[in-house]
Amino acid sequence: MKLRLKIWRQQGPHAAGEFVSYETADVSPDMSFLEMLDVLNETLQLRGDVPIAFDHDCREGICGSCAMMIDGVPHGPQKSTTVCQLHMRHYRDGATIVIEPWRAKAFPVIRDLVVDRGALDRIIQAGGYISVATGNAPEANGIPIGKDMVDRAMDAAQCIGCGACVAACPNASAMLFTAAKATHLGLLPQGQPERSHRAVNMVRQMDLETFGGCTNFGECSEACPKDIGLEVIARLNADFLQATLKEREGA
Amino acid sequence: MRGEVAAVPRGWVVAFYGSTIGKKIVMAATGVILVGFVTGHALGNLLVFSGPAALNRYGELLKSSVVILWIVRVTLLAAVVLHAHSALSLTRLAQQARPSRYAKHATQASTFSSRTLRVGGVVLLAFIIFHLLHLTTGTVHPAFSPTDVYGNVLVAFSIPAVTVFYLVAMLALGLHLHHGIWSAFQTLGLNHPHLERFRRALATVMAVGVSLGFSLIVLAIAFQLVG
């Protein structure tokens, strides 16, 4: 396959970036999208050019490292898939592909396609945890939990923190991420004691990180490689309202 | 600030409205008030089809208690102000949240009504101001009578430009309600799977019903099917 790639190149956080076009020959339909970029980077290096920087780690769709906007869609055209699991067989020979980084004030570009997603870590730090006494691991089945709750918590816990929701959102809102993280704990008994604090603190941090607000467009859920549903957002809204109305700590 | 875990601010009202979710909840709650008003308004206006006596009697009834009238007016004004302020504030935040735009951005899931919500809101605000000056105070009405509601509307929609503006505003209202009503359920946390089909359907029925109801009145008068 031959492809024409328009890729965002930016030397550093404060440099002005621009699109650079690359022609690639010898792309196999069996390659993953990242392998295609690897091959391009090898050619660039042989030519003495600087390779294109992009995040990647596990390459099996579970770590949330790979992140790029492909033709205006986070992670590319295949639904429920991270970039590393997208294969070149989905493209036709001679196609032009536009690749750019996530764009949000809260995700500053470090280089080329790599952005700093530390804002998501700080939201977790603000409340995306449960406090437990250290010691021996508790008996796994000590607290009975209904299967439906386990399933729903697991659905929310599938979030890999890739940031596609922020990238897809017209408001650059991190609501789907924050809500998924609050929900997977809030649905389980272990998550109850800190539920109100969690909602208030995570939302406050989310706002401080300069993400936009949620207006229920639904683009986030569509772009999510793990199919996190919009119901988690409604749940976080309800938790936040409840924390303000009922709990002493308030918003 | 970026990069720090926040300290707890004081004052729950400030903290609540200061957050994006708090603003959204205020927008949803005021939206519920405004949807209730606009539904009642549309139903009441349909009395135009029962003739001058019915409509004018209805107009008198609404103004029969000055106290209730002003309680309603102040509530609605407060709702509009809070609704618009939260919208403006969230729009600014959203614009600041993405300083550099994508070269290519494909929308995948969002509806037309959700994408036109903000511009439609501006149209509606302009419409509300015009409408109050037009048919409540009569300031911009060519032959306003405080008691003859029926006569006022007949004169109002004999002017094509006014009719067109009202119809455009009602289209904006329909689109606004279509996303707004569904979105309010989501923001107020009412999202049980049993509700999902109902809230989509309710939003569509209300949007079409209210927008069409008002438009029919305007069209019927403009084409002299009434009066």
Side-chain angles (χ1 to χ4, degrees):
Chain A
M1 290 172 80
K2 273 190 170 179
L3 295 169
R4 189 158 170 270
L5 304 168
K6 280 181 72 183
I7 302 178
W8 183 260
R9 299 302 309 263
Q10 184 174 336
Q11 288 199 340
H14 305 294
E18 58 170 356
F19 280 99
V20 179
S21 291
Y22 300 94
E23 308 278 341
T24 64
D26 305 328
V27 173
S28 153
D30 296 329
M31 284 178 183
S32 74
F33 202 90
L34 297 186
E35 284 165 344
M36 181 272 291
L37 289 178
D38 291 337
V39 171
L40 173 65
N41 273 345
E42 275 176 25
T43 353
L44 289 180
Q45 275 173 301
L46 286 176
R47 270 195 343 218
D49 287 346
V50 182
I52 298 150
F54 62 91
D55 266 331
H56 59 96
D57 189 18
C58 74
R59 299 209 176 196
E60 50 188 19
I62 55 170
C63 77
S65 292
C66 56
M68 56 191 81
M69 203 74 168
I70 302 172
D71 284 334
V73 179
H75 294 296
Q78 199 181 9
K79 205 174 146 35
S80 319
T81 309
T82 53
V83 187
C84 62
Q85 295 297 299
L86 172 67
H87 287 80
M88 297 317 294
R89 56 177 170 269
H90 298 291
Y91 288 90
R92 51 178 180 75
D93 191 26
T96 301
I97 307 173
V98 180
I99 308 169
E100 52 189 319
W102 289 170
R103 295 197 190 276
K105 192 180 176 193
F107 288 167
V109 174
I110 296 172
R111 188 186 185 97
D112 297 339
L113 304 174
V114 179
V115 299
D116 176 2
R117 284 171 284 180
L120 299 185
D121 297 332
R122 291 187 290 272
I123 293 175
I124 297 290
Q125 240 180 305
Y129 52 79
I130 56 164
S131 301
V132 289
T134 53
N136 287 341
E139 158 60 36
N141 296 320
I143 306 170
I145 307 169
K147 174 81 169 100
D148 54 339
M149 280 297 176
V150 172
D151 287 348
R152 286 172 60 202
M154 273 306 294
D155 285 346
Q158 283 209 74
C159 171
I160 52 175
C162 66
C165 44
V166 177
C169 178
N171 305 322
S173 167
M175 258 310 259
L176 193 71
F177 167 81
T178 310
K181 296 301 180 192
T183 297
H184 82 92
L185 298 173
L187 282 167
L188 298 175
Q190 294 90 334
Q192 296 315 307
E194 288 158 305
R195 190 166 155 187
S196 288
H197 271 297
R198 182 179 304 117
V200 168
N201 292 337
M202 290 180 84
V203 169
R204 183 183 303 126
Q205 192 62 34
M206 175 181 85
D207 289 347
L208 282 172
E209 297 290 351
T210 70
F211 291 106
C214 171
T215 50
N216 301 317
F217 281 113
E219 295 288 350
C220 53
S221 183
E222 192 67 23
C224 177
K226 297 297 162 184
D227 292 329
I228 310 282
L230 294 177
E231 62 272 12
V232 295
I233 292 182
R235 215 182 134 80
L236 179 59
N237 287 334
D239 276 0
F240 185 84
L241 183 59
Q242 192 147 323
T244 303
L245 296 179
K246 286 191 185 167
E247 304 290 333
R248 278 165 184 264
E249 60 264 31
Chain B
M1 299 313 109
R2 251 192 78 81
E4 291 171 17
V5 173
V8 182
R10 283 166 193 277
W12 74 270
V13 176
V14 175
F16 180 74
Y17 193 66
S19 76
T20 51
I21 295 189
K23 286 194 181 73
K24 280 289 294 173
I25 290 171
V26 167
M27 195 186 298
T30 52
V32 169
I33 295 173
L34 295 171
V35 167
F37 165 74
V38 89
T39 310
H41 190 17
L43 290 173
N45 283 15
L46 289 173
L47 283 172
V48 77
F49 293 111
S50 310
L55 189 70
N56 289 345
R57 209 167 44 238
Y58 170 67
E60 266 173 49
L61 176 78
L62 291 182
K63 289 184 175 175
S64 53
S65 162
V66 179
V67 177
I68 294 176
L69 179 69
W70 277 100
I71 289 174
V72 172
R73 281 178 174 174
V74 169
T75 309
L76 290 173
L77 182 68
V80 169
V81 168
L82 286 170
H83 200 77
H85 182 267
S86 52
L88 187 71
S89 165
L90 285 170
T91 304
R92 271 213 204 111
L93 281 175
Q95 285 165 347
Q96 288 162 3
R98 177 160 296 134
S100 53
R101 302 176 72 86
Y102 289 108
K104 198 170 176 184
H105 194 188
T107 50
Q108 296 193 95
S110 56
T111 54
F112 179 73
S113 60
S114 69
R115 292 194 300 271
T116 52
L117 198 78
R118 285 174 183 149
V119 60
V122 174
V123 172
L124 287 173
L125 186 63
F127 172 75
I128 290 167
I129 294 167
F130 178 78
H131 183 51
L132 288 176
L133 294 173
H134 188 214
L135 287 171
T136 304
T137 65
T139 319
V140 296
H141 192 282
F144 189 76
S145 150
T147 48
D148 186 14
V149 179
Y150 193 81
N152 287 343
V153 291
L154 287 200
V155 174
F157 302 120
S158 61
I159 305 165
V162 172
T163 305
V164 169
F165 181 48
Y166 269 71
L167 291 175
V168 168
M170 288 313 104
L171 184 65
L173 178 64
L175 290 169
H176 208 77
L177 293 182
H178 180 255
H179 183 68
I181 292 174
W182 177 81
S183 193
F185 275 95
Q186 185 76 4
T187 302
L188 296 174
L190 303 169
N191 77 319
H192 193 275
H194 295 167
L195 273 177
E196 175 53 27
R197 199 182 283 176
F198 167 77
R199 58 186 190 165
R200 282 280 186 205
L202 182 77
T204 309
V205 169
M206 295 277 286
V208 173
V210 170
S211 164
L212 206 64
F214 278 127
S215 300
L216 280 180
I217 296 166
V218 173
L219 285 168
I221 296 169
F223 288 98
Q224 293 172 350
L225 302 172
V226 166

